[in-house]
Amino acid sequence: MPLLRTLFTLVCGLALQVAAAPPPMTAKDVALLIRTATPEADIFAEVEKRRLISPVDEKFAATLKESGAPEAFIAKLKSGDYSLSSAAAAAAQARAGKLQKEAAEDAERKAALRAEALRKSPVAGGLSVPQLIANRLVSFEGSQLRPYDSARIQPVRIFAFYSSAGWSPPCRKFTARLVAWYQKIKSSHPEFELIFLSADRDAFNMQAYIQSSKMPWPAVKFEERDQTLAPFVNTNIPFLRVVDADGNPVVHDGKGATNLAPEQVLAALEKALQ
């Protein structure tokens, strides 16, 4: 048990850290808000608060145009004093680089601990599903992904892990159906939760997909996807796998197979929740 205690101490300590001030905005950050139909007043309020990491040059403007920004919006962004000074921008980039390095090192430490736990036990390192995903979840609040309170998943006894990606048309189509189904079923079934496991190319596209699809469920952080979650994913997406709190399959074909079409899984899950 010392290994598990070390793991829990590490993740709990990180959860208690005070959140850093939001970083300056990049062209991608502004473009994301435009693509997700954020009101212009809200975008400029966010820009006023965080500032731009660099002036709006041709490359910056091109990124905004690709996201659907009108010329008047870009002109307004250029005309105002929204960008940081060169010194402040350099300092912000240095801080961001340091935070990224620390986050990568921390992810490596946690992955090593989980991998060691997994090696010593055949069932997810002896962890329950709530323990396995604790402090690895985020959900959308406003225009940003925020840490999801792990205490909310402690009472859950049925988990549906959803593998999907914004670049896939079949995924986007099924996600729209899944959102409607979840909103209908969730309020009467607190014992159930759906967890998103992104198959997107990077964290930015994962965030854009979550926000544009209005996913109401939590997601595993992009950088926290590792081999300990392998039992819940599949390369054929969209994909749903339903398990109990100990990781045992809840939905299968009656012969033990769990790699079913998501429509089949959803129908079986709805029956299981009745």
Side-chain angles (χ1 to χ4, degrees), residues 66-85:
E66 289 174 4
S67 70
E71 292 290 347
F73 176 93
I74 297 172
K76 182 178 177 181
L77 204 59
K78 282 183 176 179
S79 65
D81 183 20
Y82 296 115
S83 59
L84 296 174
S85 66

Side-chain angles (χ1 to χ4, degrees), residues 26 34 69-70 89 130 133 150 210 236 243 270:
T26 65
I34 294 168
I133 60 178
S150 295
I210 292 173
N236 295 321
V243 298
E270 189 159 358

Side-chain angles (χ1 to χ4, degrees), residues 79-125:
S79 65
D81 183 20
Y82 296 115
S83 59
L84 296 174
S85 66
S86 298
Q93 289 173 334
R95 285 196 301 272
K98 181 180 179 182
L99 289 174
Q100 287 177 347
K101 181 180 179 182
E102 291 174 350
E105 292 172 348
D106 175 62
E108 288 180 6
R109 287 195 299 270
K110 289 192 287 185
L113 286 169
R114 286 193 292 266
E116 178 64 11
L118 187 63
R119 185 184 67 78
K120 291 186 175 183
S121 175
V123 185

